[in-house]
């Protein structure tokens, strides 16, 4: 938490700016006093224990093997999703958010690479890829305004109304929504989105996705790349435990880029990575309760497959080897857990035999 002394020191070092003035104003509008310490009672512990299965099982990884191993992603934990360029990291993360939507959960999707319009186009394409719809719409066609008149009419008349009826929501925050990437500015935006989620759905954010953390490496100009990523990692881990200082927990999913060594290693080792393959930020390796990995190449893409792994599992054992999961990139689809997904067990393709 910021103190008046911290802000004063910032002003002395760098001068007054919009960010520091906003921080000063916050002391007149927010309760900056830390809450009184209370020890965890055995009664509270039992309440947490009994609710843990509910919390974890509601957040699917979208990959059946991983869900069976992990029991789902847990609130109050940081999960890193590691992969080399072009290995469907964003596709996977957005499918996790979409699956949560179907179950009435809310996701804040911090998109540092693409616009919120593109994220929504991807979600609509993913939503269209269900057996109940007579048309499946490619995400590229939606983004590039290349839908036929019939497809556009079907998007407006069937897909969008059905998507809007989902109990859960994805709230996308992109670069146009955040004036600064300071921890203070991010928390203020998170708080704003959380309040909007409560207003629209009756409850706050359940999952926060950061896509991707390496793009924040220049967010702290006084720090080096690694130190900057490490600092944000600590911030996001703390947010998972105490979301916007509400004492609520969220499942924090941080997309992380693999270094070139990791990409080459995965290519040579059947899609497997090592923990040392994070491109920047060794704190990601330490702070993550779970590290998921994804890999694909031209051959796997022709087979509509990616290789997914679990190389860290703080509450259990990792997977020894990466395993295949089906993908349909044109419809932004990843995984095999959704019963109404065209890639579920009823989907038969020789490539998956």
């Amino acid at each position: 938490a910021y103190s008046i002394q911290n802000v004063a020191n910032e002003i002395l070092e760098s001068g007054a700016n919009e960010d520091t003035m906003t921080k000063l104003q916050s002391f007149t509008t927010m309760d900056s006093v830390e809450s009184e310490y209370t020890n965890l009672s055995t009664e509270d512990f039992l309440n947490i224990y009994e609710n843990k299965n509910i919390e974890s099982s509601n957040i699917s990884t979208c990959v059946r093997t991983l869900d069976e191993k992990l029991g789902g992603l847990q609130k109050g934990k940081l999960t890193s999703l590691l992969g080399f360029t072009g290995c469907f990291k964003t596709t996977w993360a957005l499918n996790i958010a979409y699956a949560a939507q179907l179950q009435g959960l809310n996701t804040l999707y911090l998109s540092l690479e693409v616009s919120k319009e593109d994220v929504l186009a991807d979600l609509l394409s993913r939503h269209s890829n269900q057996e109940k719809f007579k048309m499946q719409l490619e995400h590229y066609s939606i983004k590039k305004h290349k839908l036929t008149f019939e497809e556009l009419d079907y998007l407006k008349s069937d897909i969008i109304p059905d998507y809007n009826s989902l109990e859960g929501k994805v709230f996308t925050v992109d670069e146009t929504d955040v004036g600064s990437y300071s921890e203070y500015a991010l928390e203020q935006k998170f708080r704003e989105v959380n309040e909007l989620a409560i207003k629209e759905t009756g409850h706050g954010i359940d999952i926060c996705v950061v896509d991707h953390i390496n793009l924040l490496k220049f967010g702290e100009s006084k720090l080096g790349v690694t130190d900057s990523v490490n600092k944000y990692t600590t911030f996001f881990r703390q947010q998972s435990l105490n979301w916007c200082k509400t004492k609520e927990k969220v499942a924090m999913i941080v997309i992380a880029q693999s270094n070139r060594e990791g990409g080459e290693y995965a290519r040579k080792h059947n899609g497997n990575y090592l923990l040392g393959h994070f491109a920047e930020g060794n704190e990601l390796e330490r702070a993550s309760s779970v590290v998921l990995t994804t890999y694909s190449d031209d051959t796997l893409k022709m087979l509509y497959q990616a290789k997914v792994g679990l190389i860290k599992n703080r509450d259990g054992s990792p997977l020894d080897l990466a395993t295949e999961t089906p993908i349909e990139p044109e419809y932004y689809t990843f995984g095999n857990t959704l019963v109404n997904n065209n890639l579920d067990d009823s989907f038969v393709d020789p490539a998956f035999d």
Side-chain angles (χ1 to χ4, degrees):
Y2 286 96
S3 68
I4 293 178
Q5 186 62 53
N6 293 147
V7 179
N9 289 337
E10 286 186 32
I11 294 174
L12 288 173
E13 291 178 9
S14 307
N17 54 45
E18 182 180 354
D19 187 39
T20 53
M21 295 308 295
T22 302
K23 291 176 185 177
L24 282 176
Q25 291 172 3
S26 72
F27 291 106
T28 65
T29 59
M30 294 173 56
D31 182 8
S32 60
V33 180
E34 296 294 332
S35 59
E36 183 179 350
Y37 170 79
T38 56
N39 195 17
L40 179 66
S41 69
T42 53
E43 181 180 358
D44 289 339
F45 172 79
L46 286 175
N47 288 334
I48 294 171
Y49 181 87
E50 290 171 351
N51 287 322
K52 184 175 181 181
N53 288 335
I54 297 173
E55 283 189 351
S56 63
S57 63
N58 278 346
I59 304 175
S60 172
T61 65
C62 293
V63 177
R64 188 172 293 112
T65 301
L66 297 177
D67 282 351
E68 290 171 353
K69 186 76 172 177
L70 294 167
L73 301 179
Q74 296 183 18
K75 292 184 178 182
K77 303 286 180 70
L78 187 147
T79 296
S80 288
L81 202 166
L82 173 69
F84 194 58
T85 302
C87 290
F88 304 108
K89 299 184 297 295
T90 295
T91 307
W92 190 0
L94 207 60
N95 272 259
I96 293 174
Y98 174 70
Q101 243 185 312
L102 297 179
Q103 297 173 331
L105 302 177
N106 295 327
T107 298
L108 187 155
Y109 199 95
L110 178 60
S111 178
L112 303 172
E113 195 166 26
V114 300
S115 69
K116 60 175 65 176
E117 291 82 6
D118 280 356
V119 172
L120 183 53
D122 293 334
L123 285 167
L124 290 172
S125 175
R126 174 64 190 87
H127 189 60
S128 77
N129 195 24
Q130 299 186 55
E131 292 177 351
K132 67 180 179 179
F133 293 121
K134 67 179 183 181
M135 290 184 185
Q136 281 70 52
L137 306 180
E138 296 184 1
H139 70 92
Y140 178 84
S141 296
I142 300 175
K143 293 173 184 173
K144 299 298 181 181
H145 305 278
K146 293 184 177 295
L147 295 175
T148 66
F149 288 116
E150 185 181 8
E151 287 173 332
L152 180 59
D153 183 64
Y154 192 69
L155 173 67
K156 293 191 286 188
S157 65
D158 290 73
I159 295 172
I160 286 179
D162 192 73
Y163 179 81
N164 287 337
S165 72
L166 298 179
E167 293 183 16
K169 289 184 177 292
V170 175
F171 299 86
T172 304
V173 174
D174 66 12
E175 290 183 296
T176 64
D177 297 307
V178 183
S180 163
Y181 288 121
S182 69
E183 294 176 15
Y184 175 83
L186 287 173
E187 184 171 298
Q188 288 295 92
K189 184 57 63 176
F190 291 172
R191 186 186 299 273
E192 180 184 342
V193 173
N194 196 64
E195 291 173 354
L196 180 61
I198 293 172
K199 180 179 178 181
E200 293 190 0
T201 70
H203 70 281
I205 295 298
D206 301 287
I207 305 165
C208 179
V209 177
V210 180
D211 184 8
H212 55 84
I213 194 169
N214 302 84
L215 293 174
L216 288 168
K217 60 188 177 183
F218 302 116
E220 292 286 346
S221 57
K222 297 179 183 179
L223 300 176
V225 170
T226 298
D227 288 341
S228 183
V229 172
N230 286 344
K231 187 171 185 288
Y232 282 109
T233 299
T234 299
F235 168 72
F236 291 126
R237 182 185 60 79
Q238 291 170 342
Q239 285 292 319
S240 74
L241 291 165
N242 187 12
W243 179 244
C244 300
K245 298 184 175 64
T246 62
K247 296 187 178 180
E248 297 292 332
K249 295 179 181 179
V250 300
M252 184 67 64
I253 302 171
V254 173
I255 296 177
Q257 180 74 17
S258 160
N259 54 32
R260 291 187 179 276
E261 178 187 349
E264 185 64 17
Y265 183 93
R267 184 182 68 82
K268 294 179 178 179
H269 292 83
N270 203 25
N272 293 285
Y273 294 85
L274 301 175
L275 281 174
H277 287 152
F278 284 100
E280 293 114 0
N282 48 27
E283 184 63 21
L284 279 167
E285 178 182 338
R286 293 191 294 266
S288 299
S289 295
V290 169
V291 178
L292 305 174
T293 64
T294 176
Y295 174 79
S296 195
D297 55 24
D298 290 342
T299 300
L300 288 168
K301 290 171 185 176
M302 287 179 62
L303 299 174
Y304 290 91
Q305 289 183 345
K307 291 269 192 174
V308 296
L310 171 63
I311 60 174
K312 182 178 180 181
N313 180 13
R314 182 168 290 163
D315 295 330
S317 59
L319 286 177
D320 293 330
L321 297 172
T323 184
E324 294 90 359
T325 197
I327 58 173
E328 264 190 305
E330 60 268 39
Y331 304 119
Y332 233 75
T333 300
F334 191 106
N336 57 7
T337 60
L338 299 183
V339 295
N340 55 357
N341 181 353
N342 283 334
L343 294 181
D344 67 4
D345 289 339
S346 65
F347 181 83
V348 179
D349 190 304
F352 303 136
D353 288 345

